[in-house]
Each structure stands twice: as structure tokens, then as C-alpha cells.
Amino acid sequence: MGVLSGLKPEKVFYYFEELCKIPHGSYHTKQISDYLVQFAKERNLECSQDDSNNVVIRKAASAGYEDAPVVILQGHCDMVCEKTADSTHDFEKDGLDLMIEGDYVTANGTTLGGDDGIAVAYALAILDDDTLKHPALEVVITTDEEVGLLGAKALDCSQLKGKYLINMDSEEEGYLWVSCAGGLSAITTIPVRYQEVSGEKYELVISGLNGGHSGAEIDKNRANSNKLIGQALFTLEQDIPFCLTALEGGTKDNAITRLSKAVFITDKEAEEAIFAAAEKLQNDWRTEYTGTDEGITVTVKKIGETTEKALEQVSQEKIIFFLVQMPYGIQKMSGSIEGLVETSINPGILMLNEEECKIVSSVRSSIDSAKDALTAKVCYLSEFLGGDCVTEGDYPAWEYRKESKLRDVMVDSYKELFGDGPEVKAIHAGLECGLFYEKIEGLDAVSFGPTMKDIHTTEEVLSISSTARMWDYLVKVLENIKA
């Protein structure tokens, strides 16, 4: 018996648990892609798999729907891999340790991958049920969405016949998403030089932050530990001379960083001042981030005397200057859509090695010129410090479509089931709809999904009751698409 056995709808949760048994972090999707191909073969469904591990599965229309428009059901099979500091989970080898907590499914010590495993589970449950009424279906499961929508970029869309696309990569019941931001990763590298120093070695750790998705939750005003570590180092150096030996924070540019570390060497006499500064920073930040990150923790550990390589002062100053000056969070709200974040940035990855300091930031905007301007600002700052900045994973915004038959069907179907709603909105997070919209002429797309919370963090949860309601909704939408 599986952990999720007995949950309704049974097939959805059965397939979700099966998917969670298979490691499927970004860049490691071959195994789950092969599972999808095998699923299709066992049911005699037409299927294709490309070199990027994208999978397209086709199912014929049910009786009476032969003349209905072909519908694309779309989601991605990769997940963001984050784990708690004490977790021994290996995302390349281990399945997820699922748990049920009240109305929620979660994973023990790791991200859950409900984003976007639930979309894949919905699709498989649809494909595995011959009693449902629906048009001809093209189920498109892409890969590496979380690292720049790479699978969708590589997919040959000329093979697709559908002009209606239902994307299932949203995380809040009651909303239909009809537009999204574009984005890219800005990769800054600052060359560094080292010298040999002697003194007392300390480790400074900033932890206890809530983190979250750098698109969907950037408006929550949550702290970013990479920004805080820069602020902490700047504060310390005002009174305490030190030399950095190590610096790191975050593993994904699209996740608001929750933990950052710095290791430095200083004089023995500085111990009292270091601990006092850490305590003050913690108290100040807990006050500053009341309501979003009261759990911020600043810890200092004394490692002992050492003689080793540490950054030369100029290299160190460049890095601290960059971290302090680097923009983070909302840069502009939309002037035309109330409550919509228009432009934002998240420095999600910080790494120091023997040759350079690397900072990777997620830049998002629903306005291309604003995205370009913010990227140019980061690059200008990088180059001013003698570094370099390149971009990767640039994806387009998904523009709002004034006339949408699919949207009309989905709004009417929602009202038919639940009496009122849903809210039709734009979202700041990046969705693959923009790429499909660009590749398929005349595409009509809408995104929806069940309620999830704290995606891309180890507190990620998927609502069981919402999953059931949104399953009924998906079934009803497909039943109502007849022309």
C-alpha cells in the first residue's frame, strides 16, 4: 500500500506517488521520461520522445467528440531539488519520502515536486480512463522547465495539431492565469585573487528564512540570504578587519535563497565583537522582516587558528560591494494590472572558488524593455567591478489574448461546478505558455492548477481537497470543449 492510497481521486494520487518514486530533478529527467513512454506503450497510445526527454502522448477523441478541436494538456516533469540541512536525501538516486499532514501531501525533508508533478499525474489519470468524455488529446510533458524552460524551447511544435492549450502549472485554486512574465538568468562572474593569511577562523551562517518561488512569491517581501550575507559582511568590516576564505548560498536562481555561509579569518581579539555583531544583525532583521521572516537566524562558529589562502582585499571588496549593490525583489509593479509585479530580480546562487565569485540571478518582467534594462544594470555593475555578465535561458512573456474561446469555456465550466469565479489574472512567474504561444500560430492557452504552498522549499505542500476539486474541474472543462 502506498502512502497516498485511499486519497481521492485515486488514479491521480496513485500516479503522483509513482512519479515521486522516480528521481526527476532538473537535468535528470531521462528515467521519468522513459516511464512516461512505457506508460503510453502499455496502453497502445501514440507516443514520441525527443533528445531533450520531452514526451508527447496522443489519445483519440471519445465518442461524440470527433469534431471537437484538439486539446493540448501540458505540464513539466522536472522538479526543484531542495532539502533541509540535515537531510541525507540523494535527489539523483532516491525517491521522495511522502507524508500526509491534514489536508496536505508533503515530503520529509525535501521539496515535494507538486510543481509540476501534479500536472503529470492529472494527465496520466486522464489517459488511463476510457470512461471520460473529451476531444482528441495531445499530452505534452516537457523537461527542465525549472532551469529556463529548456524542454519547451527544444520541443518541435510542428508535430502538434492542437490550438487549445491547457497548462497545469499554476499553484492556486480559483485562478485562471492568462498571461505571464518573461525572464532569463543573469550570470555574473568576478575574478578573484588569494593571499596566505593567519589568524582565527570563523563560519558565519544565515538561515531560518522562508524562501519561496522567485516569481510567484517575490511579492511576499521575504528576505534573501545572499543579500543578507553581503550586508552582514559589509557591517562586520566596518569595525573588524577580516579575510574571506569561503562564500556560498543557494542552488537555484528561481528560488529565494534561504541559507548562505561565509568563512573568514581575523584577529583573535575580534571574537567578542563578531558575536555581538551577529546578535545585533539577527535582532535587527527579525524586526525588519516581521510578518515574513521572523525566524532569521545568524550564527557564528569559531573554527580555530589557521594559516591558509584567503581573498586579497581588493577582490573581497568587489564581492561585498556587488552583494550590497545588487538589486533584489520587486523593481516595479504593473501600471495597468492592479497587484501584478511587473519586474523583479532574485540573486539565487552565490559561489566562490579559486578563480572567481559567481552570482546567478533570475530576472523577470512582463515588459521586454524592462527586463533588458534590469539585465543591463546587473551587467554594468558586474563589468564596473572588472567582472563579466552573460545571460542564459531567455524566455518570452506570454501576452494576454483579448478574445479566447478556451478561457470562456474554462470560466463557464468553473461557474457550472462551483457557482462563481474564477478570477482571471496575469502572473509574474514564468510559464511555458509563452514559448508555445510563440511557436504555435493562433494558440489559445490558459493555465490552472490545485493549491500548493511554499513551492521550491522544503515546506512545499499540495492540498488534497483542492487536487480533487481541480480534477473534477479538468474533467468538466474537457467535457465542455465541443467546438
Side-chain angles (χ1 to χ4, degrees), residues 10-20 35 39 43 117 120-122 124-126 128:
E10 291 183 5
K11 282 192 175 183
V12 173
F13 282 109
Y14 168 78
Y15 283 118
F16 184 74
E17 186 161 5
E18 289 298 296
L19 296 168
C20 289
Y35 171 86
F39 169 94
R43 289 156 184 80
V120 184
Y122 275 155
L124 296 184
I126 292 283
D128 198 31

mmCIF file with all atom_site columns, all heavy atoms in Angstrom, residues 10-20 35 39 43 117 120-122 124-126 128:
data_model
loop_
_atom_site.group_PDB
_atom_site.id
_atom_site.type_symbol
_atom_site.label_atom_id
_atom_site.label_alt_id
_atom_site.label_comp_id
_atom_site.label_asym_id
_atom_site.label_entity_id
_atom_site.label_seq_id
_atom_site.pdbx_PDB_ins_code
_atom_site.Cartn_x
_atom_site.Cartn_y
_atom_site.Cartn_z
_atom_site.occupancy
_atom_site.B_iso_or_equiv
_atom_site.pdbx_formal_charge
_atom_site.auth_seq_id
_atom_site.auth_comp_id
_atom_site.auth_asym_id
_atom_site.auth_atom_id
_atom_site.pdbx_PDB_model_num
ATOM 1   N N   . GLU A 1 10  ? -8.373  8.606  -6.823  1.00 0.00 ? 10  GLU A N   1
ATOM 2   C CA  . GLU A 1 10  ? -7.398  7.550  -6.602  1.00 0.00 ? 10  GLU A CA  1
ATOM 3   C C   . GLU A 1 10  ? -6.320  7.485  -7.681  1.00 0.00 ? 10  GLU A C   1
ATOM 4   O O   . GLU A 1 10  ? -5.131  7.351  -7.379  1.00 0.00 ? 10  GLU A O   1
ATOM 5   C CB  . GLU A 1 10  ? -8.117  6.199  -6.494  1.00 0.00 ? 10  GLU A CB  1
ATOM 6   C CG  . GLU A 1 10  ? -8.944  6.066  -5.223  1.00 0.00 ? 10  GLU A CG  1
ATOM 7   C CD  . GLU A 1 10  ? -9.595  4.699  -5.100  1.00 0.00 ? 10  GLU A CD  1
ATOM 8   O OE1 . GLU A 1 10  ? -9.319  3.844  -5.973  1.00 0.00 ? 10  GLU A OE1 1
ATOM 9   O OE2 . GLU A 1 10  ? -10.368 4.490  -4.153  1.00 0.00 ? 10  GLU A OE2 1
ATOM 10  N N   . LYS A 1 11  ? -6.737  7.577  -8.952  1.00 0.00 ? 11  LYS A N   1
ATOM 11  C CA  . LYS A 1 11  ? -5.736  7.454  -10.025 1.00 0.00 ? 11  LYS A CA  1
ATOM 12  C C   . LYS A 1 11  ? -4.754  8.612  -10.012 1.00 0.00 ? 11  LYS A C   1
ATOM 13  O O   . LYS A 1 11  ? -3.566  8.436  -10.278 1.00 0.00 ? 11  LYS A O   1
ATOM 14  C CB  . LYS A 1 11  ? -6.419  7.351  -11.392 1.00 0.00 ? 11  LYS A CB  1
ATOM 15  C CG  . LYS A 1 11  ? -6.987  5.974  -11.695 1.00 0.00 ? 11  LYS A CG  1
ATOM 16  C CD  . LYS A 1 11  ? -7.390  5.853  -13.151 1.00 0.00 ? 11  LYS A CD  1
ATOM 17  C CE  . LYS A 1 11  ? -7.842  4.427  -13.457 1.00 0.00 ? 11  LYS A CE  1
ATOM 18  N NZ  . LYS A 1 11  ? -8.186  4.251  -14.886 1.00 0.00 ? 11  LYS A NZ  1
ATOM 19  N N   . VAL A 1 12  ? -5.238  9.793  -9.703  1.00 0.00 ? 12  VAL A N   1
ATOM 20  C CA  . VAL A 1 12  ? -4.347  10.957 -9.677  1.00 0.00 ? 12  VAL A CA  1
ATOM 21  C C   . VAL A 1 12  ? -3.280  10.777 -8.616  1.00 0.00 ? 12  VAL A C   1
ATOM 22  O O   . VAL A 1 12  ? -2.072  10.949 -8.869  1.00 0.00 ? 12  VAL A O   1
ATOM 23  C CB  . VAL A 1 12  ? -5.146  12.249 -9.432  1.00 0.00 ? 12  VAL A CB  1
ATOM 24  C CG1 . VAL A 1 12  ? -4.188  13.434 -9.227  1.00 0.00 ? 12  VAL A CG1 1
ATOM 25  C CG2 . VAL A 1 12  ? -6.079  12.529 -10.594 1.00 0.00 ? 12  VAL A CG2 1
ATOM 26  N N   . PHE A 1 13  ? -3.700  10.405 -7.414  1.00 0.00 ? 13  PHE A N   1
ATOM 27  C CA  . PHE A 1 13  ? -2.716  10.261 -6.337  1.00 0.00 ? 13  PHE A CA  1
ATOM 28  C C   . PHE A 1 13  ? -1.864  9.008  -6.505  1.00 0.00 ? 13  PHE A C   1
ATOM 29  O O   . PHE A 1 13  ? -0.707  8.977  -6.074  1.00 0.00 ? 13  PHE A O   1
ATOM 30  C CB  . PHE A 1 13  ? -3.408  10.288 -4.976  1.00 0.00 ? 13  PHE A CB  1
ATOM 31  C CG  . PHE A 1 13  ? -3.784  11.683 -4.546  1.00 0.00 ? 13  PHE A CG  1
ATOM 32  C CD1 . PHE A 1 13  ? -5.108  12.084 -4.526  1.00 0.00 ? 13  PHE A CD1 1
ATOM 33  C CD2 . PHE A 1 13  ? -2.803  12.598 -4.195  1.00 0.00 ? 13  PHE A CD2 1
ATOM 34  C CE1 . PHE A 1 13  ? -5.446  13.371 -4.150  1.00 0.00 ? 13  PHE A CE1 1
ATOM 35  C CE2 . PHE A 1 13  ? -3.134  13.885 -3.816  1.00 0.00 ? 13  PHE A CE2 1
ATOM 36  C CZ  . PHE A 1 13  ? -4.460  14.272 -3.794  1.00 0.00 ? 13  PHE A CZ  1
ATOM 37  N N   . TYR A 1 14  ? -2.413  7.980  -7.158  1.00 0.00 ? 14  TYR A N   1
ATOM 38  C CA  . TYR A 1 14  ? -1.593  6.806  -7.462  1.00 0.00 ? 14  TYR A CA  1
ATOM 39  C C   . TYR A 1 14  ? -0.438  7.196  -8.375  1.00 0.00 ? 14  TYR A C   1
ATOM 40  O O   . TYR A 1 14  ? 0.733   6.867  -8.106  1.00 0.00 ? 14  TYR A O   1
ATOM 41  C CB  . TYR A 1 14  ? -2.437  5.710  -8.124  1.00 0.00 ? 14  TYR A CB  1
ATOM 42  C CG  . TYR A 1 14  ? -1.588  4.603  -8.708  1.00 0.00 ? 14  TYR A CG  1
ATOM 43  C CD1 . TYR A 1 14  ? -1.036  3.621  -7.896  1.00 0.00 ? 14  TYR A CD1 1
ATOM 44  C CD2 . TYR A 1 14  ? -1.316  4.560  -10.081 1.00 0.00 ? 14  TYR A CD2 1
ATOM 45  C CE1 . TYR A 1 14  ? -0.231  2.614  -8.435  1.00 0.00 ? 14  TYR A CE1 1
ATOM 46  C CE2 . TYR A 1 14  ? -0.516  3.568  -10.623 1.00 0.00 ? 14  TYR A CE2 1
ATOM 47  C CZ  . TYR A 1 14  ? 0.016   2.598  -9.795  1.00 0.00 ? 14  TYR A CZ  1
ATOM 48  O OH  . TYR A 1 14  ? 0.821   1.617  -10.332 1.00 0.00 ? 14  TYR A OH  1
ATOM 49  N N   . TYR A 1 15  ? -0.747  7.913  -9.439  1.00 0.00 ? 15  TYR A N   1
ATOM 50  C CA  . TYR A 1 15  ? 0.314   8.285  -10.382 1.00 0.00 ? 15  TYR A CA  1
ATOM 51  C C   . TYR A 1 15  ? 1.254   9.317  -9.784  1.00 0.00 ? 15  TYR A C   1
ATOM 52  O O   . TYR A 1 15  ? 2.460   9.300  -10.063 1.00 0.00 ? 15  TYR A O   1
ATOM 53  C CB  . TYR A 1 15  ? -0.286  8.776  -11.703 1.00 0.00 ? 15  TYR A CB  1
ATOM 54  C CG  . TYR A 1 15  ? -0.785  7.632  -12.551 1.00 0.00 ? 15  TYR A CG  1
ATOM 55  C CD1 . TYR A 1 15  ? -2.135  7.525  -12.895 1.00 0.00 ? 15  TYR A CD1 1
ATOM 56  C CD2 . TYR A 1 15  ? 0.085   6.643  -12.984 1.00 0.00 ? 15  TYR A CD2 1
ATOM 57  C CE1 . TYR A 1 15  ? -2.596  6.467  -13.663 1.00 0.00 ? 15  TYR A CE1 1
ATOM 58  C CE2 . TYR A 1 15  ? -0.367  5.569  -13.745 1.00 0.00 ? 15  TYR A CE2 1
ATOM 59  C CZ  . TYR A 1 15  ? -1.704  5.493  -14.077 1.00 0.00 ? 15  TYR A CZ  1
ATOM 60  O OH  . TYR A 1 15  ? -2.145  4.435  -14.827 1.00 0.00 ? 15  TYR A OH  1
ATOM 61  N N   . PHE A 1 16  ? 0.715   10.198 -8.946  1.00 0.00 ? 16  PHE A N   1
ATOM 62  C CA  . PHE A 1 16  ? 1.609   11.169 -8.309  1.00 0.00 ? 16  PHE A CA  1
ATOM 63  C C   . PHE A 1 16  ? 2.638   10.446 -7.436  1.00 0.00 ? 16  PHE A C   1
ATOM 64  O O   . PHE A 1 16  ? 3.831   10.776 -7.460  1.00 0.00 ? 16  PHE A O   1
ATOM 65  C CB  . PHE A 1 16  ? 0.811   12.160 -7.461  1.00 0.00 ? 16  PHE A CB  1
ATOM 66  C CG  . PHE A 1 16  ? 1.659   13.246 -6.855  1.00 0.00 ? 16  PHE A CG  1
ATOM 67  C CD1 . PHE A 1 16  ? 2.150   14.277 -7.639  1.00 0.00 ? 16  PHE A CD1 1
ATOM 68  C CD2 . PHE A 1 16  ? 1.984   13.228 -5.506  1.00 0.00 ? 16  PHE A CD2 1
ATOM 69  C CE1 . PHE A 1 16  ? 2.952   15.276 -7.093  1.00 0.00 ? 16  PHE A CE1 1
ATOM 70  C CE2 . PHE A 1 16  ? 2.786   14.216 -4.954  1.00 0.00 ? 16  PHE A CE2 1
ATOM 71  C CZ  . PHE A 1 16  ? 3.258   15.240 -5.745  1.00 0.00 ? 16  PHE A CZ  1
ATOM 72  N N   . GLU A 1 17  ? 2.191   9.457  -6.695  1.00 0.00 ? 17  GLU A N   1
ATOM 73  C CA  . GLU A 1 17  ? 3.126   8.707  -5.848  1.00 0.00 ? 17  GLU A CA  1
ATOM 74  C C   . GLU A 1 17  ? 4.113   7.902  -6.683  1.00 0.00 ? 17  GLU A C   1
ATOM 75  O O   . GLU A 1 17  ? 5.301   7.808  -6.342  1.00 0.00 ? 17  GLU A O   1
ATOM 76  C CB  . GLU A 1 17  ? 2.362   7.788  -4.890  1.00 0.00 ? 17  GLU A CB  1
ATOM 77  C CG  . GLU A 1 17  ? 3.272   7.088  -3.884  1.00 0.00 ? 17  GLU A CG  1
ATOM 78  C CD  . GLU A 1 17  ? 2.531   6.568  -2.677  1.00 0.00 ? 17  GLU A CD  1
ATOM 79  O OE1 . GLU A 1 17  ? 1.284   6.655  -2.635  1.00 0.00 ? 17  GLU A OE1 1
ATOM 80  O OE2 . GLU A 1 17  ? 3.212   6.059  -1.751  1.00 0.00 ? 17  GLU A OE2 1
ATOM 81  N N   . GLU A 1 18  ? 3.646   7.332  -7.790  1.00 0.00 ? 18  GLU A N   1
ATOM 82  C CA  . GLU A 1 18  ? 4.557   6.603  -8.677  1.00 0.00 ? 18  GLU A CA  1
ATOM 83  C C   . GLU A 1 18  ? 5.637   7.533  -9.229  1.00 0.00 ? 18  GLU A C   1
ATOM 84  O O   . GLU A 1 18  ? 6.811   7.162  -9.294  1.00 0.00 ? 18  GLU A O   1
ATOM 85  C CB  . GLU A 1 18  ? 3.766   5.970  -9.832  1.00 0.00 ? 18  GLU A CB  1
ATOM 86  C CG  . GLU A 1 18  ? 2.890   4.798  -9.431  1.00 0.00 ? 18  GLU A CG  1
ATOM 87  C CD  . GLU A 1 18  ? 3.694   3.637  -8.879  1.00 0.00 ? 18  GLU A CD  1
ATOM 88  O OE1 . GLU A 1 18  ? 4.501   3.070  -9.651  1.00 0.00 ? 18  GLU A OE1 1
ATOM 89  O OE2 . GLU A 1 18  ? 3.527   3.314  -7.691  1.00 0.00 ? 18  GLU A OE2 1
ATOM 90  N N   . LEU A 1 19  ? 5.244   8.737  -9.604  1.00 0.00 ? 19  LEU A N   1
ATOM 91  C CA  . LEU A 1 19  ? 6.212   9.703  -10.121 1.00 0.00 ? 19  LEU A CA  1
ATOM 92  C C   . LEU A 1 19  ? 7.220   10.106 -9.046  1.00 0.00 ? 19  LEU A C   1
ATOM 93  O O   . LEU A 1 19  ? 8.401   10.308 -9.331  1.00 0.00 ? 19  LEU A O   1
ATOM 94  C CB  . LEU A 1 19  ? 5.485   10.938 -10.646 1.00 0.00 ? 19  LEU A CB  1
ATOM 95  C CG  . LEU A 1 19  ? 4.560   10.714 -11.846 1.00 0.00 ? 19  LEU A CG  1
ATOM 96  C CD1 . LEU A 1 19  ? 3.688   11.945 -12.072 1.00 0.00 ? 19  LEU A CD1 1
ATOM 97  C CD2 . LEU A 1 19  ? 5.349   10.395 -13.102 1.00 0.00 ? 19  LEU A CD2 1
ATOM 98  N N   . CYS A 1 20  ? 6.735   10.212 -7.802  1.00 0.00 ? 20  CYS A N   1
ATOM 99  C CA  . CYS A 1 20  ? 7.615   10.617 -6.702  1.00 0.00 ? 20  CYS A CA  1
ATOM 100 C C   . CYS A 1 20  ? 8.640   9.540  -6.344  1.00 0.00 ? 20  CYS A C   1
ATOM 101 O O   . CYS A 1 20  ? 9.635   9.828  -5.671  1.00 0.00 ? 20  CYS A O   1
ATOM 102 C CB  . CYS A 1 20  ? 6.789   10.972 -5.469  1.00 0.00 ? 20  CYS A CB  1
ATOM 103 S SG  . CYS A 1 20  ? 5.870   12.524 -5.628  1.00 0.00 ? 20  CYS A SG  1
ATOM 104 N N   . TYR A 1 35  ? 9.672   6.404  -18.182 1.00 0.00 ? 35  TYR A N   1
ATOM 105 C CA  . TYR A 1 35  ? 8.466   5.889  -17.517 1.00 0.00 ? 35  TYR A CA  1
ATOM 106 C C   . TYR A 1 35  ? 7.220   6.321  -18.286 1.00 0.00 ? 35  TYR A C   1
ATOM 107 O O   . TYR A 1 35  ? 6.286   5.515  -18.478 1.00 0.00 ? 35  TYR A O   1
ATOM 108 C CB  . TYR A 1 35  ? 8.411   6.402  -16.079 1.00 0.00 ? 35  TYR A CB  1
ATOM 109 C CG  . TYR A 1 35  ? 7.107   6.120  -15.365 1.00 0.00 ? 35  TYR A CG  1
ATOM 110 C CD1 . TYR A 1 35  ? 6.894   4.915  -14.701 1.00 0.00 ? 35  TYR A CD1 1
ATOM 111 C CD2 . TYR A 1 35  ? 6.074   7.069  -15.364 1.00 0.00 ? 35  TYR A CD2 1
ATOM 112 C CE1 . TYR A 1 35  ? 5.691   4.665  -14.050 1.00 0.00 ? 35  TYR A CE1 1
ATOM 113 C CE2 . TYR A 1 35  ? 4.869   6.826  -14.712 1.00 0.00 ? 35  TYR A CE2 1
ATOM 114 C CZ  . TYR A 1 35  ? 4.690   5.618  -14.067 1.00 0.00 ? 35  TYR A CZ  1
ATOM 115 O OH  . TYR A 1 35  ? 3.492   5.365  -13.427 1.00 0.00 ? 35  TYR A OH  1
ATOM 116 N N   . PHE A 1 39  ? 4.509   3.925  -20.108 1.00 0.00 ? 39  PHE A N   1
ATOM 117 C CA  . PHE A 1 39  ? 3.082   4.073  -19.788 1.00 0.00 ? 39  PHE A CA  1
ATOM 118 C C   . PHE A 1 39  ? 2.267   4.091  -21.083 1.00 0.00 ? 39  PHE A C   1
ATOM 119 O O   . PHE A 1 39  ? 1.240   3.398  -21.207 1.00 0.00 ? 39  PHE A O   1
ATOM 120 C CB  . PHE A 1 39  ? 2.871   5.355  -18.995 1.00 0.00 ? 39  PHE A CB  1
ATOM 121 C CG  . PHE A 1 39  ? 1.434   5.769  -18.826 1.00 0.00 ? 39  PHE A CG  1
ATOM 122 C CD1 . PHE A 1 39  ? 0.717   5.403  -17.704 1.00 0.00 ? 39  PHE A CD1 1
ATOM 123 C CD2 . PHE A 1 39  ? 0.789   6.546  -19.792 1.00 0.00 ? 39  PHE A CD2 1
ATOM 124 C CE1 . PHE A 1 39  ? -0.611  5.786  -17.552 1.00 0.00 ? 39  PHE A CE1 1
ATOM 125 C CE2 . PHE A 1 39  ? -0.532  6.934  -19.645 1.00 0.00 ? 39  PHE A CE2 1
ATOM 126 C CZ  . PHE A 1 39  ? -1.238  6.551  -18.520 1.00 0.00 ? 39  PHE A CZ  1
ATOM 127 N N   . ARG A 1 43  ? -0.493  1.073  -23.040 1.00 0.00 ? 43  ARG A N   1
ATOM 128 C CA  . ARG A 1 43  ? -1.894  1.385  -23.324 1.00 0.00 ? 43  ARG A CA  1
ATOM 129 C C   . ARG A 1 43  ? -2.140  1.606  -24.812 1.00 0.00 ? 43  ARG A C   1
ATOM 130 O O   . ARG A 1 43  ? -3.201  2.091  -25.200 1.00 0.00 ? 43  ARG A O   1
ATOM 131 C CB  . ARG A 1 43  ? -2.299  2.622  -22.513 1.00 0.00 ? 43  ARG A CB  1
ATOM 132 C CG  . ARG A 1 43  ? -2.405  2.303  -21.018 1.00 0.00 ? 43  ARG A CG  1
ATOM 133 C CD  . ARG A 1 43  ? -2.218  3.528  -20.142 1.00 0.00 ? 43  ARG A CD  1
ATOM 134 N NE  . ARG A 1 43  ? -2.228  3.147  -18.729 1.00 0.00 ? 43  ARG A NE  1
ATOM 135 C CZ  . ARG A 1 43  ? -1.170  2.618  -18.102 1.00 0.00 ? 43  ARG A CZ  1
ATOM 136 N NH1 . ARG A 1 43  ? -0.038  2.409  -18.744 1.00 0.00 ? 43  ARG A NH1 1
ATOM 137 N NH2 . ARG A 1 43  ? -1.263  2.279  -16.822 1.00 0.00 ? 43  ARG A NH2 1
ATOM 138 N N   . GLY A 1 117 ? 4.651   17.929 -10.712 1.00 0.00 ? 117 GLY A N   1
ATOM 139 C CA  . GLY A 1 117 ? 4.284   16.522 -10.767 1.00 0.00 ? 117 GLY A CA  1
ATOM 140 C C   . GLY A 1 117 ? 2.784   16.288 -10.799 1.00 0.00 ? 117 GLY A C   1
ATOM 141 O O   . GLY A 1 117 ? 2.314   15.315 -11.389 1.00 0.00 ? 117 GLY A O   1
ATOM 142 N N   . VAL A 1 120 ? 1.479   16.152 -14.341 1.00 0.00 ? 120 VAL A N   1
ATOM 143 C CA  . VAL A 1 120 ? 1.760   14.870 -14.987 1.00 0.00 ? 120 VAL A CA  1
ATOM 144 C C   . VAL A 1 120 ? 0.799   13.810 -14.477 1.00 0.00 ? 120 VAL A C   1
ATOM 145 O O   . VAL A 1 120 ? 0.284   12.983 -15.250 1.00 0.00 ? 120 VAL A O   1
ATOM 146 C CB  . VAL A 1 120 ? 3.222   14.449 -14.751 1.00 0.00 ? 120 VAL A CB  1
ATOM 147 C CG1 . VAL A 1 120 ? 3.539   13.168 -15.513 1.00 0.00 ? 120 VAL A CG1 1
ATOM 148 C CG2 . VAL A 1 120 ? 4.183   15.558 -15.164 1.00 0.00 ? 120 VAL A CG2 1
ATOM 149 N N   . ALA A 1 121 ? 0.521   13.819 -13.176 1.00 0.00 ? 121 ALA A N   1
ATOM 150 C CA  . ALA A 1 121 ? -0.419  12.853 -12.601 1.00 0.00 ? 121 ALA A CA  1
ATOM 151 C C   . ALA A 1 121 ? -1.823  13.049 -13.155 1.00 0.00 ? 121 ALA A C   1
ATOM 152 O O   . ALA A 1 121 ? -2.524  12.076 -13.486 1.00 0.00 ? 121 ALA A O   1
ATOM 153 C CB  . ALA A 1 121 ? -0.424  12.986 -11.079 1.00 0.00 ? 121 ALA A CB  1
ATOM 154 N N   . TYR A 1 122 ? -2.259  14.296 -13.273 1.00 0.00 ? 122 TYR A N   1
ATOM 155 C CA  . TYR A 1 122 ? -3.561  14.576 -13.899 1.00 0.00 ? 122 TYR A CA  1
ATOM 156 C C   . TYR A 1 122 ? -3.598  14.011 -15.323 1.00 0.00 ? 122 TYR A C   1
ATOM 157 O O   . TYR A 1 122 ? -4.576  13.351 -15.725 1.00 0.00 ? 122 TYR A O   1
ATOM 158 C CB  . TYR A 1 122 ? -3.795  16.087 -13.973 1.00 0.00 ? 122 TYR A CB  1
ATOM 159 C CG  . TYR A 1 122 ? -4.372  16.735 -12.746 1.00 0.00 ? 122 TYR A CG  1
ATOM 160 C CD1 . TYR A 1 122 ? -4.136  18.091 -12.502 1.00 0.00 ? 122 TYR A CD1 1
ATOM 161 C CD2 . TYR A 1 122 ? -5.171  16.049 -11.844 1.00 0.00 ? 122 TYR A CD2 1
ATOM 162 C CE1 . TYR A 1 122 ? -4.678  18.732 -11.385 1.00 0.00 ? 122 TYR A CE1 1
ATOM 163 C CE2 . TYR A 1 122 ? -5.706  16.668 -10.734 1.00 0.00 ? 122 TYR A CE2 1
ATOM 164 C CZ  . TYR A 1 122 ? -5.456  18.011 -10.505 1.00 0.00 ? 122 TYR A CZ  1
ATOM 165 O OH  . TYR A 1 122 ? -5.991  18.637 -9.410  1.00 0.00 ? 122 TYR A OH  1
ATOM 166 N N   . LEU A 1 124 ? -1.792  11.639 -16.764 1.00 0.00 ? 124 LEU A N   1
ATOM 167 C CA  . LEU A 1 124 ? -1.785  10.181 -16.825 1.00 0.00 ? 124 LEU A CA  1
ATOM 168 C C   . LEU A 1 124 ? -3.135  9.607  -16.410 1.00 0.00 ? 124 LEU A C   1
ATOM 169 O O   . LEU A 1 124 ? -3.599  8.614  -16.988 1.00 0.00 ? 124 LEU A O   1
ATOM 170 C CB  . LEU A 1 124 ? -0.674  9.628  -15.934 1.00 0.00 ? 124 LEU A CB  1
ATOM 171 C CG  . LEU A 1 124 ? 0.765   9.991  -16.328 1.00 0.00 ? 124 LEU A CG  1
ATOM 172 C CD1 . LEU A 1 124 ? 1.760   9.296  -15.408 1.00 0.00 ? 124 LEU A CD1 1
ATOM 173 C CD2 . LEU A 1 124 ? 1.045   9.645  -17.781 1.00 0.00 ? 124 LEU A CD2 1
ATOM 174 N N   . ALA A 1 125 ? -3.761  10.215 -15.421 1.00 0.00 ? 125 ALA A N   1
ATOM 175 C CA  . ALA A 1 125 ? -5.079  9.743  -14.990 1.00 0.00 ? 125 ALA A CA  1
ATOM 176 C C   . ALA A 1 125 ? -6.119  9.927  -16.092 1.00 0.00 ? 125 ALA A C   1
ATOM 177 O O   . ALA A 1 125 ? -7.001  9.078  -16.280 1.00 0.00 ? 125 ALA A O   1
ATOM 178 C CB  . ALA A 1 125 ? -5.511  10.480 -13.722 1.00 0.00 ? 125 ALA A CB  1
ATOM 179 N N   . ILE A 1 126 ? -6.033  11.024 -16.836 1.00 0.00 ? 126 ILE A N   1
ATOM 180 C CA  . ILE A 1 126 ? -6.930  11.244 -17.981 1.00 0.00 ? 126 ILE A CA  1
ATOM 181 C C   . ILE A 1 126 ? -6.690  10.178 -19.050 1.00 0.00 ? 126 ILE A C   1
ATOM 182 O O   . ILE A 1 126 ? -7.631  9.558  -19.572 1.00 0.00 ? 126 ILE A O   1
ATOM 183 C CB  . ILE A 1 126 ? -6.701  12.643 -18.583 1.00 0.00 ? 126 ILE A CB  1
ATOM 184 C CG1 . ILE A 1 126 ? -7.165  13.751 -17.621 1.00 0.00 ? 126 ILE A CG1 1
ATOM 185 C CG2 . ILE A 1 126 ? -7.380  12.774 -19.946 1.00 0.00 ? 126 ILE A CG2 1
ATOM 186 C CD1 . ILE A 1 126 ? -8.641  13.963 -17.565 1.00 0.00 ? 126 ILE A CD1 1
ATOM 187 N N   . ASP A 1 128 ? -5.507  7.289  -18.756 1.00 0.00 ? 128 ASP A N   1
ATOM 188 C CA  . ASP A 1 128 ? -5.766  5.925  -18.283 1.00 0.00 ? 128 ASP A CA  1
ATOM 189 C C   . ASP A 1 128 ? -7.242  5.659  -18.006 1.00 0.00 ? 128 ASP A C   1
ATOM 190 O O   . ASP A 1 128 ? -7.594  4.618  -17.468 1.00 0.00 ? 128 ASP A O   1
ATOM 191 C CB  . ASP A 1 128 ? -4.951  5.674  -17.004 1.00 0.00 ? 128 ASP A CB  1
ATOM 192 C CG  . ASP A 1 128 ? -4.796  4.195  -16.692 1.00 0.00 ? 128 ASP A CG  1
ATOM 193 O OD1 . ASP A 1 128 ? -4.766  3.375  -17.631 1.00 0.00 ? 128 ASP A OD1 1
ATOM 194 O OD2 . ASP A 1 128 ? -4.699  3.854  -15.498 1.00 0.00 ? 128 ASP A OD2 1
#
